[in-house]
Amino acid sequence: MALTVLPDAVLLVRNGLLTFTEVTALVGQRIGTSSPVDVSSPWVRVTRIGGLPVERRRLDAASMQFDCFAPPADDGEQLAHLIARTVRAACHALEG
């Protein structure tokens, strides 16, 4: 029997987020799975925190965590909240 390897959910979500100009206007390409070395610009970290296959071989229900950061000089907390709300809206638009 051949193995069915499900795609990397984190990579799919990251690539999906990068298709939204609303997201890239805030963070550029700075969406990754770890904290960047240079934190002087806003960025998003995507982490898979759980989830189980819904249908054993075809459908994965991944649980994701998004950490949104902005430096204090850019009115950090408010900007980080805006990034989080924008990422959330983009994720809902990715459903389907």
Side-chain angles (χ1 to χ4, degrees):
M1 177 162 86
L3 294 177
T4 301
V5 179
L6 296 174
D8 182 340
V10 172
L11 184 61
L12 288 173
V13 169
R14 179 195 181 274
N15 291 343
L17 290 175
L18 290 173
T19 67
F20 291 95
T21 56
E22 298 88 346
V23 174
T24 57
L26 295 169
V27 299
Q29 300 290 308
R30 297 168 59 88
I31 302 173
T33 58
S34 61
S35 303
V37 174
D38 176 11
V39 294
S40 62
S41 297
W43 52 280
V44 177
R45 180 176 54 221
V46 183
T47 307
R48 181 176 179 145
I49 58 172
L52 297 170
V54 174
E55 187 179 317
R56 188 170 180 198
R57 293 186 200 165
R58 295 182 225 191
L59 185 60
D60 188 14
S63 295
M64 303 285 192
Q65 176 174 309
F66 300 89
D67 298 301
C68 303
F69 298 90
D74 291 336
D75 203 12
E77 189 171 350
Q78 289 181 352
L79 180 54
H81 285 278
L82 174 60
I83 294 167
R85 292 191 314 271
T86 305
V87 164
R88 183 174 191 259
C91 285
H92 285 292
L94 286 172
E95 290 179 358

